[in-house]
Amino acid sequence: MTDIQELLLSRIRDVADYPEPGVMFKDITPLLADPAAFTALTDALAEIAERTGATKVVGLEARGFILGAPVAVRAGLGFVPVRKAGKLPGATLGQAYDLEYGSAEIEIHAEDLSGDDRILIVDDVLATGGTAEAAIQLIRRAGAQVSGLAVLMELGFLAGRTRLEPALDGAPLEALLVV
């Protein structure tokens, strides 16, 4: 394990039985409260943005906003939020996707992306990959390319990577931590 991985992992708190019994929630708020850890995380993700040739960062609601916006600033790139349906004003482009029990929809302002854009998607956790897969489809429908997907933490036992690799079509999926 690298020094940065040890630092990040030491600032993530396990919360048992949240949001329901049997779930071990990974709480990143202690990491965000520690300026050294948050800076290290931002720098690591910004380096991925630069390495993948991203021209913009897309953050997935809601913790992807917290991580993605400073990454975009650090890398000198624009930031575009992907929000739950009905949260963005004006004309949007939406993408529905299935959840374990039901469905959801995310939206983006299509005019915020162009055919010249290479997008790094940033989120806190990769679980089953449903939201990220919908974001990939949405970005492509808006005419942009996906340069990669970067997350703080991958929950390997949920196999989101297996689901996403075909959708990424060769673009890298990078997780700073795999638990």
Side-chain angles (χ1 to χ4, degrees):
M1 186 173 291
T2 67
D3 289 345
I4 188 172
Q5 288 174 316
E6 287 179 14
L7 174 63
L8 298 175
L9 198 54
S10 74
R11 301 304 189 274
I12 297 171
R13 178 175 63 134
D14 287 343
V15 180
D17 299 320
Y18 182 82
E20 60 186 52
V23 173
M24 181 64 72
F25 184 79
K26 300 293 188 182
D27 180 15
I28 68 166
T29 58
L31 187 157
L32 299 173
D34 179 328
F38 194 16
T39 298
L41 171 59
T42 300
D43 289 347
L45 293 173
E47 189 277 324
I48 294 169
E50 292 166 4
R51 188 166 15 90
T52 62
T55 60
K56 290 185 180 164
V57 173
V58 159
L60 304 182
E61 187 162 323
R63 289 179 298 251
F65 298 172
I66 296 169
L67 303 184
V71 167
V73 169
R74 179 74 55 156
L77 306 174
F79 176 78
V80 180
V82 168
R83 302 232 35 207
K84 294 177 184 173
K87 300 291 184 178
L88 289 171
T92 60
L93 186 60
Q95 181 68 46
Y97 62 101
D98 291 327
L99 300 168
E100 188 174 349
Y101 300 105
S103 62
E105 185 175 354
I106 55 175
E107 294 179 333
I108 196 167
H109 282 135
E111 70 270 10
D112 291 343
L113 302 179
S114 75
D116 295 331
D117 282 323
R118 292 181 42 81
I119 307 301
L120 177 68
I121 302 167
V122 172
D123 206 2
D124 64 329
V125 174
L126 172 59
T128 62
T131 306
E133 184 178 44
I136 292 166
Q137 294 169 353
L138 190 57
I139 289 162
R140 288 194 176 127
R141 285 183 45 224
Q145 301 172 38
V146 175
S147 70
L149 170 63
V151 296
L152 164 60
M153 183 176 12
E154 177 182 351
L155 305 180
F157 62 94
L158 292 175
R161 179 177 294 269
T162 302
R163 176 181 188 167
L164 289 177
E165 284 179 337
L168 283 165
D169 194 30
L173 189 166
E174 298 195 38
L176 299 178
L177 300 170
V178 179
V179 295

